[in-house]
Amino acid sequence: MSAGERFTVALIGASGLLGRAVANELASAASTQPWRVVRTARSRADAASVKLDLLDHDAVRAFLGEVAPDAIVVAAAERRPDICENDPALARALNVDALNVIATEARALGAWVLSISTDYVFDGTSPPYLPDDAPAPLNAYGQSKLDGERALLASDPRSCVLRLPLLYGPFTGWNESAVTSLTPAIVKSADAANPPASMDAWATRYPTFTPDVAVVIRGMLEQHAKGATISGIAQWSGDEPMTKFDIAERIARALNVDAKLIAQRTPTDATPRPRDCHLDSGRLEALGIGRRTPFDIAIGGLLANCPDVSSQ
């Protein structure tokens, strides 16, 4: 880019858990970066975003043709494993077919695509996983995201997939993240009249703070804007291993509640989940891209500003 030239980013899925964090990070950089960000949302579109349904392929093509972005960040997806397992057609429509449409249009426009994927493309038996390790998803969600990765990179090898693990961050409802969704049960268990809360102590997760991921994505966009495009597969992950039982204990400490928790040592999920999919972040770290906020600091800040959970 030449000095003063405008760089346009289409942020697809700007109203979601990750999309909001990316939108905020890019807005904070507006004074130092010559870019404009065009946000899209489906059910939660507002005055600052364009309403866009990814299942409407003609609308997606029209939007991209009108905006003519230099870069497209795809933060929208069907990310709920149980929903994907029960409705694989919907998972494919959002995680594969829509991404394929975006990739095809992006290639025609010369736009770089950065699409978000998941650690669930792996089976969790041989961590840590490098970007080029062989995927082996255990469920429909992981398979749909893997198929989306392959569709994108086959369409344009210059594009990039960013794999991420369990996300948490500023939220609009407890269930936006599998981390914050534990909170109401934790608080309820502290009441002597209620039974203990059962928490998974089998699968190891790496909770990753969405504002940190937003810093990563900003860094990747900056690389592209200066002609040092990151292509292929990249990964980013928090570095603190925890089970949901561990997460629950730390949430209880942050809330200063005496929770009664039971460690569940055998998986009970109807949808199969991998045991440990720790992602190696070395590729981005070597470029000086990334930030990690300690979990206790991040969750403490989130819960200090949360609504009263006792009424949930």
Side-chain angles (χ1 to χ4, degrees):
M1 285 176 58
S2 60
E5 186 178 349
R6 218 157 185 215
F7 182 83
T8 299
V9 179
L11 175 55
I12 296 178
S15 65
L17 181 71
L18 177 59
R20 293 194 306 272
V22 175
N24 290 339
E25 179 64 28
L26 298 185
S28 74
S31 62
T32 59
Q33 296 294 334
W35 56 29
R36 72 179 180 115
V37 180
V38 182
R39 311 176 187 181
T40 81
R42 184 178 65 85
S43 59
R44 292 181 286 188
D46 57 21
S49 60
V50 176
K51 187 174 180 63
L52 183 66
D53 183 352
L54 292 186
L55 298 180
D56 186 340
H57 295 174
D58 288 340
V60 172
R61 295 185 185 100
F63 166 76
L64 293 175
E66 179 179 348
V67 173
D70 298 286
I72 304 167
V73 178
V74 186
E78 179 50 70
R79 60 178 180 80
R80 297 166 293 180
D82 292 338
I83 297 295
C84 292
E85 205 70 17
N86 293 326
D87 194 347
L90 174 63
R92 181 170 184 85
L94 283 169
N95 297 345
V96 185
D97 298 341
L99 187 57
N100 203 25
V101 171
I102 292 169
T104 300
E105 294 303 304
R107 187 178 67 246
L109 293 166
W112 178 66
V113 180
L114 173 60
S115 179
I116 305 305
S117 190
T118 174
D119 58 344
Y120 273 29
V121 299
F122 297 113
D123 63 11
T125 60
S126 302
Y129 288 96
L130 297 167
D132 58 355
D133 283 341
L138 297 181
N139 55 42
Y141 169 57
Q143 186 64 55
S144 70
K145 295 300 286 184
L146 176 60
D147 291 345
E149 290 183 6
R150 289 171 170 169
L152 174 63
L153 296 175
S155 179
D156 185 359
R158 195 179 66 124
S159 58
C160 187
V161 168
L162 177 61
R163 290 176 180 154
L164 302 170
L166 173 65
L167 298 179
Y168 72 103
F171 55 93
T172 60
W174 296 114
N175 288 330
E176 271 203 297
S177 164
V179 171
T180 53
S181 68
L182 306 178
T183 308
I186 293 166
V187 173
K188 188 176 181 181
S189 77
D191 187 329
N194 294 321
S198 182
M199 297 287 170
D200 175 63
W202 178 79
T204 298
R205 314 296 295 275
Y206 296 82
T208 302
F209 195 40
T210 53
D212 291 345
V213 178
V215 168
V216 170
I217 290 173
R218 172 184 168 181
M220 296 177 76
L221 286 168
E222 290 171 344
Q223 290 284 112
H224 177 66
K226 69 182 184 182
T229 301
I230 300 170
S231 300
I233 297 173
Q235 300 180 157
W236 187 257
S237 175
D239 59 0
E240 298 175 79
M242 300 176 220
T243 65
K244 283 191 176 180
F245 180 83
D246 299 326
I247 293 170
E249 286 192 319
R250 293 167 83 157
I251 289 175
R253 285 202 302 270
L255 291 171
N256 196 27
V257 299
D258 187 16
K260 304 189 298 294
L261 305 175
I262 296 176
Q264 201 172 68
R265 304 290 179 183
T266 302
T268 59
D269 295 312
T271 300
R273 285 167 166 79
R275 184 159 194 174
D276 185 345
C277 288
H278 189 205
L279 299 172
D280 182 280
S281 307
R283 184 183 182 193
L284 294 176
E285 289 170 338
L287 295 172
I289 294 175
R291 185 185 76 186
R292 291 184 177 93
T293 303
F295 181 81
D296 289 337
I297 292 174
I299 200 67
L302 292 177
L303 296 176
N305 298 304
C306 72
D308 180 10
V309 293
S310 62
S311 61
Q312 299 296 307

